[in-house]
Amino acid sequence: MSAPVRIGILFGGPSAEHEVSCASALGVARALAGGGYRTVAIGVTRGGGFRLMPDALLAELRDRPAGERAIDDQLVVTGPAVELRAGPRPGVVQVCAGNAPGAVHAELDVVFPVLHGPYGEDGVVQGLLESLNVPYVGCGILASAVGMNKVAMKRALRAEGIPVTPYVSFDAHTYRAVDDPEKLVTGLSRPLFVKPASMGSSIGISRVGEGDDLAAAVEEALRHDQLVMVEQGVAGRELECAVLGGWRPEASAVGEVQVTGGWFDYQQKYFGDADPMIVPAVLPDEVTARVRELSLRAFAAIGGWGLARVDFFYDETTGELYVNELNTMPGFTAHSMYPKVWAAVGVSYREVVDRLVELAGVRHAERSASTAGSVR
C-alpha cells in the first residue's frame, strides 16, 4: 500500500480576508478527509508567522457539523511557531520548529495555499513555495499577481479582446496632486465603483451614486492599497463561472448572484441569512455558452493554472457581457460559488480537490523537467 499524500493547508494570513481564508480552509480540510491524504494545517498569523495547528484540533473542527453560514465555520490560527524549509529531496517541504534534531514536525508533498487577498493570492506565497521546490495548488506567481491586481488584470483582458467595463486607475500620489477628484474620472458616468486594486471579498469597495462623495470612496480604497481603480457601474445581472484545469482547462455551469441593496458587498457575501446564489443561472443557451467561452479565454489571458472563478456582468437590455474580474483562489467553503457550479455539472467538491492536487503535481513535474533541461 502506498503512503498517503501529505498535504499542507496554508490558511489565515495578513490580509483583510483572514477570516474568509480560515473558513475556506475548513471546507478544503473536510473535502480532503478520507481521500487518502495526510492533512497538516498551517495557520499564517496576521503578522506573517506560521503556526502548526494540533492534529486533534484540526480533526475536531473538521468533523464538526457544518454551520448555516460559511463564515461561522473556521480553522483557527494556533499552535507552535514553525517555518517551512526545503526537504531532503526535490518536491518535499519540511515543517520545522528549529534546527535541533527531531525538530521536523512534518514533511509535505503538496501545499494547498487557501489564502485570499494580498500575501497569499498575489504571488507572494507562490514565490516562497517555488523557492522551496514543492508542488502547490493553484495559479503560479505571474497569474496570481495579475489576477490579484485589478488594473493589471483589466489590461491583460483588454489586450486579448475580452470585454471589460469602462474604468480608470490612479495612484495615491496622483490623487493627492489634484484639487478635484472628479477630474480623474472624466468620461465615466455614475454610479461608479471605487476599488483598491489589490483586495478581494469586496473589502474597501464603495458604490458612488449621484450626490455621493467620491473623495470619501477613494480614501476608503487607499486604506487598503496605493493604487485605485474606478469602474463605471453596469446595470445587469451578476454571473459567475468556474475554471478547472491546466493546459486544457474546462468551464463549469454558470451561476448567478442575486443582489439586494445595489451590490454584492462583504456583509451580503458572508453574513446574509439567505443564500444569494442561483445555480445554474436561468439564461439563454447562447449566453451560457458565451460566459463559459469568455471564462476560458480570461483564464488563458492571465496564464492561469489549476483554478479560477470568473465574474461577469450581463446587461440583458443590450445582450452585452463584461468580465468583471478573476479570482485565482476563490472562496472554498461548501457555501461558495466555486464548488456549487461544479456540483451542478456532476463534479463533487472532493473531485475538484482531487483534481487540483493532481494538477499541482503535473505542473511541478513539468517545471522540474524544464529546469533540468536548461541546466544541461
Side-chain angles (χ1 to χ4, degrees), residues 343-354:
V345 291
V347 183
S348 70
Y349 195 141
R350 165 69 66 77
E351 290 173 306
V352 168
V353 170
D354 285 343

Side-chain angles (χ1 to χ4, degrees), residues 31-336:
L32 290 170
Y37 304 111
R38 160 81 168 94
T39 304
V40 177
I42 304 164
V44 184
T45 69
R46 294 183 187 276
F50 293 96
R51 298 289 184 269
L52 179 64
M53 173 177 280
D55 287 343
L57 180 56
L58 171 61
E60 189 274 325
L61 291 170
R62 185 187 61 212
D63 297 339
R64 182 183 298 172
E68 293 185 3
R69 296 185 304 189
I71 205 71
D72 296 330
D73 283 327
Q74 298 184 15
L75 293 188
V76 181
V77 177
T78 188
V82 293
E83 60 184 56
L84 302 182
R85 296 181 188 164
R89 59 189 182 279
V92 173
V93 67
Q94 294 180 325
V95 184
C96 305
N99 294 317
V104 178
H105 285 297
E107 289 188 342
L108 307 175
D109 303 304
V110 179
V111 175
F112 200 134
V114 194
L115 293 160
H116 304 309
Y119 307 103
E121 197 177 347
D122 58 356
V124 171
V125 78
Q126 288 76 14
L128 169 64
L129 296 173
E130 291 208 4
S131 72
L132 295 172
N133 196 20
V134 63
Y136 62 92
V137 168
C139 289
I141 298 171
L142 179 60
S144 297
V146 173
M148 188 74 239
N149 186 292
K150 294 178 175 62
V151 176
M153 177 179 58
K154 295 279 191 184
R155 290 171 178 166
L157 296 177
R158 290 179 70 174
E160 296 297 323
I162 297 169
V164 299
T165 55
Y167 73 96
V168 298
S169 62
F170 48 85
D171 57 29
H173 177 79
T174 300
Y175 170 70
R176 304 291 181 207
V178 299
D179 57 352
D180 182 0
E182 295 289 344
K183 295 178 180 179
L184 298 174
V185 297
T186 302
L188 300 182
S189 57
R190 300 196 184 200
L192 305 172
F193 285 87
V194 181
K195 307 178 177 182
S198 296
M199 185 56 67
S201 291
S202 300
I203 294 171
I205 297 178
S206 302
R207 181 184 186 277
V208 180
E210 294 297 336
D212 292 336
D213 188 352
L214 176 61
V218 174
E219 293 290 352
E220 173 60 22
L222 288 173
R223 289 180 58 237
H224 302 278
D225 198 344
Q226 291 298 294
L227 182 64
V228 174
M229 184 174 71
V230 181
E231 290 181 308
Q232 184 170 298
V234 174
R237 298 163 64 180
E238 295 196 20
L239 308 177
E240 299 184 354
C241 184
V243 178
L244 174 65
W247 296 118
R248 290 179 174 80
E250 299 175 85
S252 70
V254 178
E256 180 174 4
V257 178
Q258 282 199 328
V259 179
T260 59
W263 62 290
F264 198 35
D265 60 10
Y266 186 87
Q267 188 68 25
Q268 287 193 60
K269 283 183 178 179
Y270 301 110
F271 293 97
D273 293 326
D275 185 353
M277 301 174 190
I278 299 173
V279 181
V282 180
L283 296 165
D285 290 345
E286 62 271 18
V287 175
T288 297
R290 179 72 171 147
V291 168
R292 298 177 76 243
E293 177 214 350
L294 285 172
S295 295
L296 294 174
R297 287 178 57 194
F299 191 67
I302 68 166
W305 182 274
L307 78 161
R309 192 194 71 231
V310 188
D311 300 346
F312 291 82
F313 295 123
Y314 172 45
D315 186 341
E316 288 185 288
T317 59
T318 64
E320 295 292 333
L321 280 166
Y322 303 92
V323 174
N324 180 32
E325 64 181 23
L326 289 87
N327 289 272
T328 56
M329 186 54 70
F332 240 98
T333 73
H335 301 271
S336 298

Side-chain angles (χ1 to χ4, degrees), residues 12-37:
S15 88
E17 296 184 76
H18 182 99
E19 287 83 3
V20 181
S21 170
C22 293
S24 288
L26 183 54
V28 170
R30 285 173 171 157
L32 290 170
Y37 304 111

Side-chain angles (χ1 to χ4, degrees), residues 1-18:
M1 180 181 294
S2 61
V5 176
R6 301 163 298 184
I7 299 182
I9 301 175
L10 277 182
F11 68 98
S15 88
E17 296 184 76
H18 182 99

